Amino acid sequence: MLQQILHDMYIDPELLAELNDEQKHILFYKMREEQLRRWREREAWEALAQLEGHRPPKVKRGNAASDKHIQWLLGADGAVWVWIMGEGPGDKPYEEISEELIAERARLQAQREAEELWRQKEAEITKKFREALANEKARILAEKWKVEMEDRKAAKILEERIHEEFKRKEEEERRRGEEQIRLQEERRAKELYWTLKQAQLQSHASEKEEREWKEQLRRSKAADEERSRSARRARDEYRRHSLRAIQKGTVAGLSSMFQELGQSHEQEQRLRNHLPGPGPPLPLAVRAWERPLRPDSREVIVRWFKEEQLPRRAGFERNTKSIASWFHGIISREDAEDLLENMTEGAFLVRVSEKIWGYTLSYRLQKGFKHFLVDASGDFYSFLGVDPNRHATLTDLIDFHKEEIITVSGGELLQEPCGQRDSPPDYHLLFE
């Protein structure tokens, strides 16, 4: 998941909302490193191409500042020519010129705001109908599995008709949106005109505005310094985790070790039957189904867990057939916080995520909670954007952070697991 984000240099807003501040800073730091790496690679390639004669070298512009000068326009009397607005022959009165300037400024400002509103409106319309069309296609595809071969042509015709209907509705929505933006632009131009007019009449308030601008500048500088400190803490934390992973030797190369040693007949039999044994997890060399880019339903998540996670003994205690006390099923953030509400600081649970192919570790603070995403889309387990360590099993990740803190700034150490409260347990669908 992290490699995909760095490749696209984009993260879904819903997924970004699941990250806490430390995870966001680490992710920003890694994306900045990737930008620098690409820039250095491109610069090296261009230098090599110039040496080999594939492209002409860049021509640096010389400094022509010394050649620039100013020459005043002189009048018939040899003195500097001066024109006073509103007093020259054929000039409009100053008040009329001022009115026209204010009206033009108001019109341009309203036009810019209207263009920005239309861009937002157009993005909302596109997203709305794209999601509706995607949902409709998903529903039609689900129904196609139930129909006979002769009905598929009719389903295709139905899909095209629905697509045309959505396209027509989208065009109507766009026309209505353009009309709303146009009317709002006209209203905004009038509002800005009177606002600028009042500002002109109240010029004596410029001193107050100057103080407010200085205060805003001070706050902006303070915010920049805070962001710099946060980025510095994120870099320090990233280096600390990298050094700790080398010293501990917990980077998950276990998966490749199992592939080199080979699977025993008993492990292969358990992989086919989805029955986890007490031994080490099996690497998923071949995936038996085509996994979507992101989870789109609980049924798909349950299937993913049974086909990919059960063979890796996710959720089990080490070397036993017992489900770990900290493991929970597909529950929401609110349910997790409700379970941790009456527990002390350091209590934790691991729940199956509905946002990514992985899990969410919910942690109890002295006041409040924290939630860390655990990426399990590959053949290892690691925190998304916080901890560079890769672990062979989910249990290895939990045991590791019982001794080592998750972040330097938070000092989170896993102490007391939070178990089940209801019967049947919330993970019963995963093990049926």
Side-chain angles (χ1 to χ4, degrees), residues 58-104:
K58 295 181 179 178
V59 180
K60 296 184 177 179
R61 297 180 180 178
N63 185 10
S66 59
D67 299 334
K68 295 181 179 179
H69 61 279
I70 297 175
Q71 182 176 0
W72 296 101
L73 179 65
L74 302 179
D77 57 355
V80 176
W81 184 80
V82 179
W83 171 69
I84 301 176
M85 182 174 64
E87 296 183 4
D91 284 357
K92 297 179 181 179
Y94 173 78
E95 291 76 11
E96 185 177 348
I97 296 175
S98 178
E99 289 285 337
E100 291 178 355
L101 290 176
I102 292 175
E104 180 65 16

Side-chain angles (χ1 to χ4, degrees), residues 337-356:
E337 293 179 354
D338 184 55
L339 289 171
L340 293 168
E341 179 68 32
N342 297 323
M343 302 191 71
T344 59
E345 183 178 9
F348 69 96
L349 61 85
V350 176
R351 52 192 171 92
V352 180
S353 175
E354 295 182 277
K355 301 294 184 183
I356 65 171

Side-chain angles (χ1 to χ4, degrees), residues 262-277 282 306 310-311:
Q263 297 178 344
S264 66
H265 176 72
E266 181 183 356
Q267 289 173 328
E268 293 175 358
Q269 188 66 26
R270 282 199 302 270
L271 180 60
R272 286 194 294 270
N273 297 333
H274 300 296
L275 295 175
L282 302 177
K306 289 182 177 180
L310 273 183

Side-chain angles (χ1 to χ4, degrees), residues 164-224:
E164 293 175 358
E165 180 66 17
F166 274 106
K167 190 70 175 177
R168 183 183 62 79
K169 291 182 178 179
E170 182 180 356
E171 291 298 330
E172 293 177 357
E173 187 75 17
R174 285 177 181 272
R175 286 195 294 271
R176 287 195 298 269
E178 289 175 353
E179 182 63 21
Q180 292 175 0
I181 295 299
R182 186 185 63 79
L183 294 175
Q184 188 169 357
E185 178 182 356
E186 293 177 357
R187 290 195 300 269
R188 185 59 176 162
K190 293 178 180 178
E191 293 175 359
L192 288 172
Y193 171 80
W194 289 112
T195 301
L196 294 174
K197 185 68 176 178
Q198 292 175 0
Q200 185 185 36
L201 298 176
Q202 297 175 356
S203 59
H204 62 276
S206 59
E207 183 177 351
K208 179 181 178 181
E209 293 177 357
E210 179 72 16
R211 290 196 301 269
E212 292 177 352
W213 180 83
K214 289 182 179 180
E215 177 64 20
Q216 184 178 3
L217 180 62
R218 185 189 64 79
R219 293 178 181 177
S220 177
K221 289 182 178 180
D224 289 340

Side-chain angles (χ1 to χ4, degrees), residues 123-142:
E124 291 176 0
I125 293 172
T126 303
K127 181 180 178 182
K128 173 183 176 181
F129 285 94
R130 186 177 298 165
E131 290 178 353
L133 182 59
N135 293 335
E136 188 66 20
K137 283 185 177 180
R139 184 185 66 80
I140 293 174
L141 289 174

Side-chain angles (χ1 to χ4, degrees), residues 37-70:
R37 184 193 68 77
R38 293 182 184 180
W39 178 78
R40 293 190 183 101
E41 187 178 79
R42 185 172 63 255
E43 289 291 318
W45 181 85
E46 290 181 354
L48 181 61
Q50 291 176 5
L51 290 176
E52 294 178 352
H54 293 304
R55 59 190 299 178
K58 295 181 179 178
V59 180
K60 296 184 177 179
R61 297 180 180 178
N63 185 10
S66 59
D67 299 334
K68 295 181 179 179
H69 61 279
I70 297 175

